[in-house]
């Protein structure tokens, strides 16, 4: 079926579209960095868990149990998502809180769709 | 700015959306497999090069020069894209020809957008 999805993205933003051949070397590096971060099932689940909360943010203390991994391992995965620009980290007292960056997933999707 | 993009995708297809928290373990594996294949700048460029041709297909003999890599290396990258379901390979005499799978990039984008 055909859906019409409204997308709020800056059309002049990085990086050309893979779907229409508009990706130069620098853009390919930038696109691949984001997809490399998304190329792990635990990181996909962590992002999905955070994005699915009402507040769209999560304490690391609430992320370890759903993925069944230790806090250092979850912290390591989250660091890769933060470095790729997909999440932000905020320390509040003892715990780190993570948010999905507004527009980051849409921008990654945008790089795969015809412009 | 806000754009409206028409997307032709099967909405009941794999895999839930990362953006709205709907990704279970099996879907995360499937999504991550595709993004892992996209998580390399050479593979992003190869897909973009193929998708950008008029015929939306390319001979491996025409892919080596643009990315500046040997044929075995390009062949190895293309194998990963084929295994992830993003490209198909057809042998014609001496050369392998590759196509981008219709809908595969849109499906990958779909997993990142709210459903």
């Amino acid at each position: 079926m055909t859906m019409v999805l409204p997308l709020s993205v800056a059309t002049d933003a990085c990086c050309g579209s893979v779907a229409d051949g508009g990706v130069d070397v620098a853009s390919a590096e930038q696109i691949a960095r984001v997809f490399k971060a998304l190329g792990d099932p635990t990181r996909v689940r962590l992002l999905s868990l955070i994005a699915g909360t009402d507040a769209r943010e999560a304490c690391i203390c609430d992320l370890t149990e759903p993925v069944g991994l230790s806090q250092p391992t979850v912290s390591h995965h989250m660091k890769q998502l933060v470095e790729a620009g997909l999440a932000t980290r905020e320390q509040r007292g003892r715990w780190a809180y993570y948010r999905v960056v507004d527009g980051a997933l849409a921008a990654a999707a945008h790089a795969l769709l015809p412009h």
Side-chain angles (χ1 to χ4, degrees), chain A residues 46-83:
Chain A
L46 288 168
L47 267 188
S48 176
L49 285 165
I50 299 166
T53 62
D54 287 342
R56 291 180 65 83
E57 77 167 16
C59 174
I60 191 162
C61 56
D62 293 321
L63 292 172
T64 52
E65 187 274 332
V67 295
L69 294 169
S70 70
Q71 194 173 308
T73 301
V74 172
S75 177
H76 177 73
H77 281 301
M78 287 308 307
K79 186 162 186 270
Q80 292 174 263
L81 292 168
V82 169
E83 286 174 354

Side-chain angles (χ1 to χ4, degrees), chain A residues 4-49:
Chain A
V4 177
L5 300 178
L7 273 190
S8 294
V9 286
T11 50
D12 57 350
C14 173
C15 293
S17 163
V18 177
D20 58 21
V23 175
D24 62 20
V25 176
S27 296
E29 298 272 355
Q30 200 163 340
I31 291 169
R33 194 176 312 126
V34 173
F35 288 130
K36 189 172 183 183
L38 291 167
D40 177 276
T42 298
R43 291 196 290 276
V44 168
R45 289 184 65 208
L46 288 168
L47 267 188
S48 176
L49 285 165

